Amino acid sequence: MEETSQQNKKVVYSAVQPSGNLTIGNYVGSIRNWIDMQDDYTCYFAIANMHAITVRQDPALLRRHTLELAALYIACGLDPEKCALYVQSMVPQHAELCWTLNTVTYVGEMQRMTQFKDKSAKHADNINMGLMDYPVLMAADILLYLADYVPVGADQTQHVEIARDIAIRFNNRFGETFRVPEALIVKQGAKIMSLQEPTKKMSKSDENINASVYLSDDKDTVIRKFKRAVTDSDNRIVASEEKPGVSNLLAIYCAFRGCTLEAAEKEFEGRGYGDFKLAVGETVADAIAPVQAEQKRLLVDKTYLNGVLKEGAERAFKTARRTLNKVYRKVGFYQGE
Ligand code: TYM
């Protein structure tokens, strides 16, 4: 990244948690959309391992998932020469800024966050402070790099909104410091639903493995999961609120095919669910196969991956340090003479 040519470019920031096998939702809702941004924006793409430990993780698995995610980012088309690709915990300013932002964030607003409420219900025996603080750490991620845009799935809109509120509040109290970021949500695939309970989001932490299609699933598994997907009994392939299962399959098909809903409905007019599910399964399996092959190839070369992550962290660190110094000055922290 040439320092001077970067200066006028808008900044993009996003991240994924290395908290399990990634789903096709993570792919079409976020990572895939980052690829085209690399040339036109200054991009930071992180592996949010500090967010991941807000629910219990096996340490060895967390480390492995971190490297797998780095390889996946590159396999999907991220170019480490063009963007800073790094691991969140390797840049200490994330935690440091989070602490400062905690003091301009209210407990009540965190308790009202949808994800906090959902995760508290799901992990009732582990409602830790980190879980409640999750959105503030996410705000710190975004604000440290003065990001203009945050490409995420629809479920993250509320978190980007709170990052905006925190930025505005800090700026009002201490003077212009942060840029107010904007969420970028794709038109197709912003919220892929579970194949088993299509009114619920597809999630990498779903206990029912048939509910999610993982980016690591082989072709047979992908096709089997789509075959078993919950639909309804009226056998019409159209999207509507009363048909969440079929609507979700159509949305997945469109996201992977790059076609409109109308075109997909027309294509499957008069055909049965069996045919339709097979077509969706094959489309998805064929699209993810090259990504899987490339990820596998990259994972063999740990030296390369370690190098990429080290360099990414160094780049991120430079910007993060600059912003944090400014924040510390603004809040009145003594920083030596
Ligand atoms: P995570 O790992 O839960 O999700 C990563 C990205 O995938 C999107 N996503 C989906 N998109 C469509 N359909 C789905 N079913 C689906 N499930 C997940 C999410 O919206 C997200 O974009 N908190 C973030 C990680 C993060 C972050 C950040 C993002 C940490 N710091 C700063 C942006 C900026 C998260 O949800 O990760």
Side-chain angles (χ1 to χ4, degrees):
M1 246 190 316
E2 244 317 297
E3 202 67 39
T4 44
S5 67
Q6 293 295 316
Q7 270 158 14
N8 300 323
K9 285 185 179 177
K10 297 258 188 193
V11 178
V12 165
Y13 188 94
S14 200
V16 174
Q17 300 177 75
S19 52
N21 285 328
L22 263 65
T23 72
I24 54 169
N26 299 126
Y27 180 64
V28 296
S30 71
I31 305 176
R32 189 178 69 168
N33 313 305
W34 305 349
I35 313 304
D36 288 342
M37 309 185 103
Q38 298 177 93
D39 287 321
D40 301 326
Y41 302 94
T42 300
C43 295
Y44 297 89
F45 297 118
I47 297 174
N49 58 346
M50 292 164 68
H51 280 100
I53 62 164
T54 57
V55 301
R56 288 194 186 98
Q57 302 289 337
D58 174 311
L61 216 53
L62 179 63
R63 214 168 340 225
R64 198 175 88 204
H65 283 148
T66 301
L67 266 195
E68 283 175 0
L69 187 50
L72 186 76
Y73 277 179
I74 303 169
C76 287
L78 290 185
D79 180 349
E81 298 285 319
K82 292 183 183 164
C83 56
L85 203 163
Y86 72 100
V87 179
Q88 187 185 31
S89 65
M90 288 173 75
V91 181
Q93 286 83 0
H94 290 254
E96 293 176 282
L97 181 60
C98 178
W99 179 257
T100 307
L101 297 183
N102 274 335
T103 64
V104 295
T105 308
Y106 299 103
V107 171
E109 23 183 24
M110 294 299 101
Q111 284 169 330
R112 284 195 294 275
M113 292 277 113
T114 310
Q115 186 178 294
F116 174 66
K117 289 195 273 188
D118 290 350
K119 286 196 177 173
S120 299
K122 201 169 161 202
H123 305 276
D125 60 335
N126 185 23
I127 308 175
N128 61 76
M129 287 300 295
L131 196 60
M132 188 156 87
D133 211 21
Y134 185 112
V136 186
L137 179 60
M138 186 162 153
D141 295 346
I142 299 167
L143 302 184
L144 262 184
Y145 301 93
L146 308 179
D148 296 278
Y149 302 117
V150 185
V152 280
D155 63 314
Q156 293 301 308
T157 315
Q158 199 181 33
H159 288 160
V160 180
E161 279 299 317
I162 206 78
R164 290 170 61 88
D165 292 348
I166 292 173
I168 293 168
R169 199 175 296 157
F170 188 97
N171 288 348
N172 285 341
R173 200 168 299 170
F174 297 104
E176 206 55 29
T177 310
F178 296 122
R179 219 170 277 168
V180 181
E182 216 180 287
L184 286 187
I185 316 278
V186 272
K187 286 204 182 72
Q188 279 179 337
K191 194 169 185 190
I192 301 295
M193 311 306 274
S194 153
L195 296 190
Q196 293 299 315
E197 286 174 77
T199 49
K200 213 177 91 179
K201 186 189 78 161
M202 182 181 285
S203 157
K204 48 173 130 74
S205 57
D206 202 312
E207 269 144 33
N208 181 351
I209 53 163
N210 289 318
S212 307
V213 177
Y214 302 111
L215 288 176
S216 55
D217 283 342
D218 62 27
K219 188 162 185 168
D220 287 350
T221 310
V222 173
I223 289 176
R224 183 166 36 81
K225 285 182 177 178
F226 278 108
K227 261 192 196 156
R228 288 191 186 166
V230 169
T231 45
D232 50 48
S233 55
D234 100 336
N235 241 2
R236 278 179 321 122
I237 302 168
V238 289
S240 80
E241 257 180 52
E242 302 81 61
K243 293 166 70 68
V246 171
S247 304
N248 186 37
L249 295 180
L250 277 166
I252 294 172
Y253 186 75
C254 292
F256 277 92
R257 266 287 151 99
C259 65
T260 63
L261 190 57
E262 293 71 36
E265 286 175 339
K266 201 148 187 249
E267 185 180 340
F268 292 106
E269 209 178 309
R271 288 166 69 184
Y273 283 171
D275 247 18
F276 171 50
K277 287 176 171 179
L278 183 65
V280 182
E282 282 186 333
T283 301
V284 170
D286 291 346
I288 63 178
V291 174
Q292 290 171 350
E294 183 61 4
Q295 185 196 24
K296 201 167 156 200
R297 191 187 69 79
L298 287 159
L299 272 171
V300 175
D301 195 349
K302 297 278 187 311
T303 314
Y304 168 71
L305 288 178
N306 288 333
V308 164
L309 294 176
K310 185 165 177 280
E311 202 185 304
E314 279 163 10
R315 274 187 206 168
F317 183 85
K318 277 191 200 148
T319 311
R321 187 179 48 191
R322 203 179 316 130
T323 308
L324 192 74
N325 281 345
K326 186 168 179 192
V327 169
Y328 278 8
R329 218 169 36 245
K330 296 267 185 178
V331 299
F333 281 174
Y334 173 76
Q335 289 177 288
E337 293 305 320

